[in-house]
Structure formats: structure tokens, C-alpha cells
Amino acid sequence: MVKGYRPDSLQEALEIKSDHATSIIAGGTDLMVQKARGTGLKPGLKNNPLFISHIPELRKFETSDKFIRIGACLTLSELVEKGELPTPLLNAIDEIASIPLRNIATMGGNICNASP
């Protein structure tokens, strides 16, 4: 039986991750791609899912004179809407996925999964 976790804070997510074998899920678009390939197999999660896309600490967006801090769970569409990204990053997001996928896909997931 699959048990999913949906913590209310980053601290709670870290505690769950420490205490249980989990697979972190934010946008989950790679799982959708696996399903769309028609392999006939359900997406392969080795552990129970830990859903994090709603955690406020992971959805922050901050800019300064030297840095842009992008929360791992901001969707690609949300980043484009911010309008404060360098042109090369905006162009990369435009190339990454279709609009529906950008509405779900996260920058953190694309980096962690080394999505091309």
C-alpha cells in the first residue's frame, strides 16, 4: 500500500524524510512523461511520495543586486511571470517545455533530474 506525505512546513518535510524512505514530488512532470511513453508500467517510485510543492519556504523568489534566489517549487510559468529573470534564463524556460508542462514543472525538479 502506498502512503503519501503532505507536510505543512519545510521542517516537517525534513523530519518525514529523516524518519521514512520517501520519494520527493513537487511538479512530478517526469512521472507524467514516463506514463505518456506507454510502457504499460506505472511510474516507478521506490518509496512513498513526499509532496512538497505547496511548502511556503520552497516557493520564495528574491532578487538583489548580485543574486536571484529561486525556490525549488516555483513552477516555470511562475518564474516567467515574475519578469525579473535574465533573458538567457527566460529563453531557456521557453525551450524547456510546452505551456501546460510549464504550469506544473518546477525549476528545482528540472535541475535535480538534469532535464535537458
Side-chain angles (χ1 to χ4, degrees):
M1 178 166 79
V2 174
K3 178 179 183 175
Y5 299 94
R6 191 178 189 279
D8 291 322
S9 68
L10 181 56
Q11 183 61 39
E12 185 181 356
L14 293 172
E15 290 170 7
I16 292 169
K17 186 70 180 154
S18 175
D19 295 341
H20 304 280
T22 59
S23 294
I24 297 173
I25 305 289
T29 55
D30 282 352
L31 295 175
M32 287 188 276
V33 171
Q34 289 176 16
K35 182 78 171 164
R37 288 190 182 140
T39 61
L41 302 173
K42 67 179 184 176
L45 287 180
K46 295 177 185 172
N47 303 305
N48 292 325
L50 173 61
F51 299 100
I52 62 166
S53 63
H54 60 284
I55 296 176
E57 296 97 327
L58 300 176
R59 299 190 51 75
K60 293 182 179 179
F61 181 86
E62 301 168 351
T63 60
S64 71
D65 292 341
K66 295 183 180 184
F67 300 100
I68 298 173
R69 182 170 292 159
I70 299 172
C73 291
L74 285 171
T75 67
L76 300 178
S77 292
E78 289 171 328
L79 290 173
V80 170
E81 289 171 8
K82 298 289 182 191
E84 301 177 49
L85 297 177
T87 301
L89 186 52
L90 288 171
N91 291 341
I93 290 171
D94 191 45
E95 296 288 326
I96 286 176
S98 65
I99 291 173
L101 267 171
R102 284 184 228 149
N103 290 335
I104 300 170
T106 62
M107 182 63 76
N110 277 274
I111 291 170
C112 289
N113 288 319
S115 296

